Amino acid sequence: MEYLVWVGPRDSDIQFSKCFKESICYFSEKNPNSDRTAHIYGNSYIEFIKNKMENLLEFHPEARFIFYNPKIAYGLNENLRKYILCLNKKFILDLLSDKIYTRYWMGNYVPVLPSLLVDSHHLSFSELDEKLGYSKNYVIQQNRSSGGFGTFYVEKKEQALNIFRERYNELFIISPYVENGLSVNINAIVCNNQIYLFPISLQIIENNNNRLIYHGADYIAAQNINAEIQTKIKKYSKVILEHVQSLGYRGIIGIDFIVKDGNVYFQEINPRYQASSFLIDASLTENGYPVLTEINLSSFYEQCDISMDVQNITVEYSFYKYLYTSGAKHLYHIEQIAHNNPYISHVLLDGWDNSMTVEVDSYCYTLVFSTNITSLNFDGGYNLYSNITGEEEYLKEYISSRIGLKIALLNQGCVITAEAMSYLNSKGIIKKAVFSSIDFQLSDGLSINAPVNLKFTDLSPFNITVSVNKHLKLNYYNECISEIYLEMQPNWSNLKTQNKVPYSRIAYLSTDRLRVKHETICSLKKKGLGCSFCSIPLSKTTFNMDDIKEVINNLLDKPKFRHILIGGGSGNPDTEYKQIIEISKSIRAVNSNIPIYLMSLPPLKADILMQYKSAGITEIAFNIEIWNRSLAKELMPGKGLIPLELYLRALKEGTKIWGTTGNVRTALIVGLDNMDTLLEGVEYLSKQGIQPMISIFRPMVNTKLEALVPPSNKVLLSFYEKAQDICKQHNLKLGPTCDACKNNMLAI
């Protein structure tokens, strides 16, 4: 093989390729700069490449060059171009890079979104609505752009169009904005006698100041795209590439599609390497196959001599590119800690140094993950871990509000620093809270249940430290937000009953309530019908009613809690109610006044509710969790079989006994259902005087839904506002009623 030299924007694009002796890259350890420039393409970039190529050829006249984007090569003189390999004719590259031309051309053969070609001076929403069909919002694209720069999300406000009229003098292609659609990319190589299609990637596109910017890709999450959709993508790709092949194009190429409601729409062709190509190289190398550059070189021969079945690989990686935005606290934060994260396989700095002067929109560095960082959501789009993005724009706007801060902490979690952990260990044992978390209170009394042991919580911008005067502090990017009180394990947790059962196996303290379990083992989980999101293990330690009564008798004489919750695991519906009644009566025998809150499966018979009331229970919750029952059956194979009607009957009957002021409630999980469907559930419940509680889905380690990503802070805030408004219309608030018990709920 010749003395191959890579020419492209980043060294990391050949991280997993062993084909190259050297590289010429603007972002590189070999090209030290004191600053980071945003827009590298143009005359200065051409001059940079020209000088580097000429210098290298002086020492290595045998050198041959492969370009990330071959179009760049045509900015060089003819003498230098003769050293460039895998170079298609300029007119072919120009045609295929033309978003307008390719959209209309390929519209003859595969589905495309309705589009309109408009010059900047004649844009109007009335024209767009008339010719494209009414849309809430639109996407406006400059004809020649990449990486999302030149692609704009436009809300239907007249001033948005004025920006284009004033700043641009060119043609735009305009399409309806696809809400909750998926943007996917496929890498391919076109040969004279064959077309190679490689795995599909889910593109991570973020709205940055109304620009739709490419930030990375997830090959793992893309594997969960419906098989029928994947077949369509490959079928349409083959059709498109056969036409491209007929033009005379050879070599590597990429195609972007939009997926929505089971439909696949062609978006654009990229006649170059893709930003995601390097991860395909990683997989090809791991499987002993030639990398993309080797296949690319072969594609320019009369007969491509790559005989191995390279198309059947799977790519088990994802990546995220960090671009500088104003402030950019998170990218500096992540770069410092990413090297120690077990899910991050590579930190590709490409010459980045956190002391550099950086322009807005500049590329900084890339993280490669050995796990998914996105997952398909139930609204048709995808979720991305908030701790990877940092959600800085959200935090800037909402961190000063109690609900904004609470949502961020519930969703992103926090890190306990080593210093704080050492201090806490000297004081006792940190109380283990539900959902892989810790419980603490802010100085204003707000109770928080913050995850600390989930997939990416160690990337959180929030941490807990200890001050010089030995006060615990909650910090946001090392800036103190509040002093906090963190709950420690009570002294009695290590006590054992006469049957040698630890008290902690039967009861545990959570904020201002004592939770008493009525089941030793979840009967559904024991049958293999447990909920996919539940992390409660099948304990071998069992207990009986005598153990429960002993714990109650010993703990209730000097209560350090405001109320008691009976719940924990699903029992046998034929007998569960008897256990609950006996426990409640045992509590009442010791304390006649303390409130008792029941959380269980709905009883099979309505008259049991009156028995609960008589036994001393003061409030109830039968948690529906997933409103959509077909989805409930899939994710909760045991509980999902319980008809929604049974829940609603029990809850409605409960309002006759305990009233409609918040003593009868049910929990719904946001992140495990379509948002509109969930809001319908909130509406129905509120009308009946049943208080909705909204729990945020957490992907617990070692559960079936571990790879599912929760919604973003912004989405959660929007849902909270809509759900709260619905409740207000019916004289309710999102539950529970107890402020301390809201610590893990979307409520304040």
Side-chain angles (χ1 to χ4, degrees):
M1 188 177 287
E2 295 110 328
Y3 192 93
L4 282 183
V5 181
W6 174 257
V7 183
R10 301 168 296 269
D11 262 339
S12 57
D13 289 317
I14 54 169
Q15 174 72 23
F16 303 106
S17 176
K18 307 301 181 187
C19 297
F20 299 97
K21 301 293 186 183
E22 293 194 48
S23 65
I24 298 173
C25 296
Y26 194 85
F27 301 118
S28 168
E29 300 285 349
K30 304 165 192 169
N31 181 40
N33 289 303
S34 59
D35 60 2
R36 212 68 165 185
T37 305
H39 303 288
I40 66 169
Y41 299 110
N43 293 333
S44 60
Y45 185 50
I46 296 294
E47 193 64 23
F48 167 80
I49 293 171
K50 174 179 171 294
N51 292 337
K52 293 285 187 181
M53 286 178 68
E54 287 174 345
N55 290 339
L56 198 148
L57 285 166
E58 284 185 25
F59 295 95
H60 297 284
E62 76 280 18
R64 296 295 181 268
F65 302 86
I66 300 275
F67 276 57
Y68 173 89
N69 186 352
K71 275 195 71 178
I72 302 293
Y74 284 101
L76 302 169
N77 60 55
E78 194 172 336
N79 182 53
L80 282 177
R81 285 204 303 273
K82 68 184 183 184
Y83 296 98
I84 299 172
L85 303 178
C86 302
L87 188 58
N88 285 280
K89 293 177 180 178
K90 185 176 183 299
F91 86 90
I92 296 177
L93 295 175
D94 286 341
L95 280 177
L96 297 180
S97 301
D98 189 313
K99 296 183 191 318
I100 295 168
Y101 176 81
T102 53
R103 187 82 60 86
Y104 282 94
W105 178 27
M106 294 305 161
N108 295 310
Y109 309 108
V110 298
V112 299
L113 287 171
S115 305
L116 189 64
L117 189 61
V118 183
D119 68 78
S120 56
H121 299 291
H122 294 92
L123 284 171
S124 75
F125 283 122
S126 58
E127 182 184 7
L128 298 181
D129 288 346
E130 180 186 344
K131 295 184 177 178
L132 295 177
Y134 180 82
S135 177
K136 288 172 66 178
N137 300 300
Y138 290 94
V139 173
I140 299 182
Q141 286 183 289
Q142 291 175 287
N143 194 29
R144 300 181 186 276
S145 61
S146 66
F149 295 101
T151 301
F152 304 90
Y153 167 78
V154 179
E155 296 180 340
K156 293 191 71 173
K157 300 174 184 176
E158 192 59 33
Q159 59 264 37
L161 291 183
N162 290 336
I163 293 170
F164 290 91
R165 296 190 189 108
E166 293 166 5
R167 295 185 186 178
Y168 300 94
N169 186 25
E170 59 184 285
L171 292 173
F172 291 92
I173 189 167
I174 305 177
S175 305
Y177 176 68
V178 180
E179 194 80 37
N180 287 316
L182 300 176
S183 179
V184 299
N185 171 268
I186 188 166
N187 279 253
I189 292 180
V190 179
C191 307
N192 187 54
N193 59 320
Q194 192 168 354
I195 293 170
Y196 291 99
L197 297 178
F198 295 93
I200 298 161
S201 69
L202 175 64
Q203 295 188 304
I204 300 170
I205 310 288
E206 293 186 56
N207 189 335
N208 184 350
N209 294 320
N210 288 332
R211 297 173 306 156
L212 301 177
I213 306 297
Y214 178 89
H215 274 273
D218 193 329
Y219 281 96
I220 302 170
Q223 295 169 24
N224 293 318
I225 294 173
N226 178 280
E228 189 177 331
I229 295 296
Q230 294 195 48
T231 300
K232 279 185 185 178
I233 292 169
K234 291 178 180 179
K235 177 185 174 183
Y236 295 164
S237 297
K238 207 73 176 270
V239 169
I240 292 164
L241 293 174
E242 283 170 355
H243 287 282
V244 169
Q245 189 183 48
S246 69
L247 280 180
Y249 183 91
R250 298 293 180 267
I252 195 160
I253 196 167
I255 307 173
D256 292 344
F257 296 94
I258 296 290
V259 177
K260 176 69 176 177
D261 296 333
N263 298 307
V264 176
Y265 303 98
F266 165 75
Q267 195 73 356
E268 63 186 46
I269 296 171
N270 302 304
R272 53 172 170 79
Y273 285 81
Q274 311 299 287
S276 60
S277 299
F278 77 114
L279 293 184
I280 294 177
D281 275 346
S283 189
L284 288 168
T285 301
E286 289 165 2
N287 288 278
Y289 291 157
V291 293
L292 290 174
T293 293
E294 293 174 271
I295 307 171
N296 191 27
L297 284 164
S298 184
S299 72
F300 282 80
Y301 304 150
E302 187 63 30
Q303 294 291 319
C304 187
D305 60 358
I306 303 297
S307 58
M308 289 186 284
D309 192 8
V310 297
Q311 299 178 97
N312 286 335
I313 61 165
T314 56
V315 181
E316 299 295 336
Y317 294 102
S318 56
F319 80 100
Y320 190 85
K321 288 197 307 179
Y322 284 88
L323 304 179
Y324 184 83
T325 56
S326 182
K329 293 178 180 177
H330 200 67
L331 72 89
Y332 290 104
H333 166 73
I334 291 290
E335 192 267 328
Q336 294 296 307
I337 60 177
H339 302 269
N340 299 318
N341 187 282
Y343 299 103
I344 298 173
S345 62
H346 295 80
V347 181
L348 307 176
L349 297 177
D350 290 315
W352 159 259
D353 186 314
N354 58 24
S355 65
M356 288 177 170
T357 302
V358 187
E359 288 183 8
V360 171
D361 291 335
S362 305
Y363 165 72
C364 296
Y365 59 87
T366 295
L367 298 184
V368 178
F369 300 84
S370 56
T371 184
N372 65 297
I373 57 175
T374 65
S375 67
L376 308 184
N377 62 37
F378 296 94
D379 292 302
Y382 70 87
N383 295 338
L384 169 66
Y385 282 106
S386 293
N387 278 339
I388 290 175
T389 66
E391 284 209 68
E392 282 190 70
E393 291 304 314
Y394 166 90
L395 292 169
K396 283 174 189 173
E397 188 170 353
Y398 298 109
I399 196 169
S400 59
S401 75
R402 294 181 92 221
I403 187 61
L405 177 59
K406 183 178 183 180
I407 287 172
L409 286 166
L410 292 182
N411 204 30
Q412 296 182 257
C414 63
V415 175
I416 304 175
T417 64
E419 185 185 16
M421 185 62 77
S422 176
Y423 169 75
L424 287 165
N425 286 339
S426 71
K427 299 296 181 181
I429 301 171
I430 300 173
K431 180 174 70 63
K432 291 182 180 178
V434 294
F435 310 128
S436 295
S437 62
I438 55 173
D439 290 330
F440 58 84
Q441 263 189 357
L442 303 185
S443 56
D444 67 358
L446 184 62
S447 293
I448 302 289
N449 174 263
V452 291
N453 292 314
L454 300 184
K455 201 168 182 179
F456 287 114
T457 47
D458 60 345
L459 303 183
S460 173
F462 299 98
N463 67 28
I464 294 172
T465 60
V466 60
S467 66
V468 290
N469 57 357
K470 302 302 182 185
H471 290 164
L472 291 175
K473 301 187 300 178
L474 176 69
N475 301 308
Y476 166 63
Y477 294 118
N478 297 320
E479 180 183 337
C480 182
I481 297 173
S482 172
E483 289 191 352
I484 64 168
Y485 167 74
L486 198 152
E487 294 184 22
M488 307 296 286
Q489 203 78 300
N491 294 330
W492 52 260
S493 59
N494 290 325
L495 296 176
K496 292 184 178 180
T497 67
Q498 292 182 15
N499 294 327
K500 309 299 182 186
V501 179
Y503 274 34
S504 58
R505 180 76 184 87
I506 298 169
Y508 62 90
L509 197 62
S510 177
T511 63
D512 69 346
R513 72 186 180 200
L514 180 73
R515 186 163 188 163
V516 178
K517 296 179 183 178
H518 66 287
E519 287 291 334
T520 60
I521 295 173
C522 174
S523 63
L524 298 175
K525 196 159 193 171
K526 190 177 180 182
K527 295 175 185 176
L529 300 173
C531 300
S532 301
F533 47 82
C534 179
S535 63
I536 299 172
L538 287 173
S539 175
K540 293 180 180 179
T541 305
T542 60
F543 53 85
N544 56 37
M545 191 57 66
D546 289 337
D547 294 308
I548 296 173
K549 288 178 179 179
E550 184 180 340
V551 170
I552 290 170
N553 288 334
N554 286 339
L555 296 183
L556 260 66
D557 58 344
K558 300 174 185 173
K560 294 183 179 180
F561 36 84
R562 188 189 67 80
H563 61 158
I564 293 178
L565 169 65
I566 301 173
S570 299
N572 183 329
D574 293 321
T575 58
E576 183 181 47
Y577 75 97
K578 295 177 182 178
Q579 296 167 279
I580 291 167
I581 290 169
E582 192 170 353
I583 292 170
S584 186
K585 286 180 176 180
S586 300
I587 295 168
R588 285 285 172 254
V590 181
N591 190 317
S592 60
N593 297 316
I594 194 165
I596 301 174
Y597 176 17
L598 169 66
M599 190 178 289
S600 73
L601 293 177
L604 296 176
K605 297 178 181 178
D607 64 349
I608 292 171
L609 294 173
M610 208 57 199
Q611 296 181 49
Y612 286 164
K613 173 77 170 177
S614 300
I617 290 170
T618 54
E619 47 193 320
I620 60 165
F622 307 133
N623 294 333
I624 296 169
E625 295 178 310
I626 300 174
W627 190 258
N628 180 328
R629 299 320 285 173
S630 60
L631 187 62
K633 289 175 186 177
E634 180 185 342
L635 301 182
M636 304 188 299
K639 287 185 70 175
L641 293 174
I642 301 172
L644 182 60
E645 291 74 20
L646 181 60
Y647 279 100
L648 296 176
R649 186 178 69 200
L651 290 164
K652 287 177 187 177
E653 190 65 29
T655 62
K656 297 175 184 177
I657 300 170
W658 288 281
T660 57
T661 57
N663 289 330
V664 177
R665 58 187 75 103
T666 185
L668 300 172
I669 302 174
V670 61
L672 291 183
D673 209 338
N674 173 276
M675 294 293 183
D676 289 339
T677 301
L678 208 56
L679 287 170
E680 288 171 11
V682 172
E683 176 77 40
Y684 181 88
L685 293 165
S686 301
K687 278 184 180 177
Q688 308 300 321
I690 302 162
Q691 186 180 54
M693 301 184 292
I694 307 299
S695 177
I696 300 172
F697 166 70
R698 286 182 184 168
M700 310 292 284
V701 176
N702 297 322
T703 65
K704 292 179 181 178
L705 297 184
E706 180 181 352
L708 195 67
V709 180
S712 68
N713 296 334
K714 189 175 180 180
V715 168
L716 290 170
L717 178 64
S718 174
F719 182 87
Y720 163 80
E721 289 171 342
K722 292 173 183 175
Q724 185 76 322
D725 285 345
I726 292 170
C727 288
K728 282 180 181 177
Q729 292 170 24
H730 303 285
N731 299 314
L732 284 172
K733 290 184 178 180
L734 288 172
T737 305
C738 170
D739 285 340
C741 294
K742 292 175 181 173
N743 69 329
N744 62 350
M745 294 291 174
L746 198 60
I748 199 162

